[in-house]
Amino acid sequence: MLAIKQALVMLYPGFCYFEVAALTEILAFKEEEWTVTTVGADRQNYLGEDGLQVLAEKSFSQVDPLAVDLMILPGIDNYHVPLADSRNVAFLRQLNTASRPIIAAMSSSPVLLAKAGLLDQTQFTGGLFEETYAKNPFIPKQNLVRQPVVVDNGIITSSFQFFREFAITAARTCGIEVGDTAFGPARTDRPYTPAELTYHYPD
């Protein structure tokens, strides 16, 4: 029997769930292989940017970030808020070692990675305003790569409009097979047939 792999979704005020929803959905369909747990500085509800509240199942003190297989960071409505809570950066700083889980960070969350020193030697991308780099010199802009998804040193980064590509890349990096058309838009060149929109239980 294969060991169950573990993924952590890090929560903080103003987190953006939709940016990582495709990735967590892929993991959900691998429930016999993966578990997904939410974690935050405190075990409490966190209000996302869309107004939904999500419970952090565990606090930072209850988990070992080096014992999991994947760390997921959603984007942030206002990165100043989680950045002001030093516990977030301290938690991530534990990952500044060679033996660590895969890290998948969306949109503005690479700010937290940068503050923790995780991007000093790592190329990255993100959905940050240009002014953010000037105001936060700890972000190593020399390592910024302007591509939809960047993978370097086991860290996957992307910006919000590429949530689909981010999910597929992160899943494949974790060894999960995902088709190229997963979460793709509806086709517009021809109508769907009734047979294509008829569903059955899997065998």
Side-chain angles (χ1 to χ4, degrees):
M1 184 176 179
L2 295 175
I4 301 295
K5 295 184 177 180
Q6 300 179 59
L8 292 181
V9 179
M10 187 172 169
L11 299 180
Y12 21 71
F15 72 93
C16 183
Y17 175 64
F18 98 86
E19 294 177 348
V20 299
L23 176 54
T24 57
E25 185 71 5
I26 291 172
L27 297 175
F29 275 96
K30 294 290 182 179
E31 60 182 342
E32 295 182 356
E33 302 173 26
W34 284 84
T35 62
V36 180
T37 304
T38 50
V39 64
D42 294 303
R43 189 178 183 276
Q44 65 175 43
N45 285 329
Y46 285 87
L47 183 64
E49 71 170 14
D50 55 7
L52 295 179
Q53 295 191 46
V54 177
L55 174 67
E57 299 171 68
K58 295 184 177 181
S59 66
F60 292 156
S61 63
Q62 295 176 300
V63 299
D64 177 3
L66 296 177
V68 303
D69 302 280
L70 174 63
M71 179 74 68
I72 302 171
L73 280 74
I76 313 165
D77 178 40
N78 179 359
Y79 70 86
H80 295 285
V81 177
L83 199 60
D85 188 338
S86 61
R87 293 175 296 175
N88 290 310
V89 172
F91 180 70
L92 292 171
R93 193 171 283 130
Q94 298 176 69
L95 302 177
N96 205 349
T97 179
S99 179
R100 66 185 179 205
I102 295 166
I103 301 170
M106 246 298 188
S107 194
S108 53
S109 64
V111 169
L112 299 176
L113 298 182
K115 189 67 173 179
L118 292 166
L119 301 182
D120 290 349
Q121 306 297 325
T122 298
Q123 293 185 328
F124 71 97
T125 191
L128 298 170
F129 294 116
E130 286 302 296
E131 294 76 11
T132 302
Y133 299 103
K135 294 178 180 178
N136 299 279
F138 60 82
I139 305 174
K141 190 177 180 182
Q142 70 275 12
N143 295 337
L144 174 65
V145 179
R146 299 185 190 277
Q147 291 296 318
V149 183
V150 172
V151 183
D152 191 28
N153 292 330
I155 297 178
I156 303 153
T157 50
S158 185
S159 57
F160 69 96
Q161 69 266 50
F162 302 111
F163 65 90
R164 173 185 171 275
E165 292 77 9
F166 170 79
I168 293 173
T169 300
R172 289 175 175 173
T173 303
C174 292
I176 301 172
E177 293 184 9
V178 183
D180 292 337
T181 60
F183 303 104
R187 70 175 182 237
T188 57
D189 60 327
R190 64 190 188 281
Y192 287 88
T193 67
E196 289 177 295
L197 300 178
T198 302
Y199 310 104
H200 298 279
Y201 286 117
D203 294 332

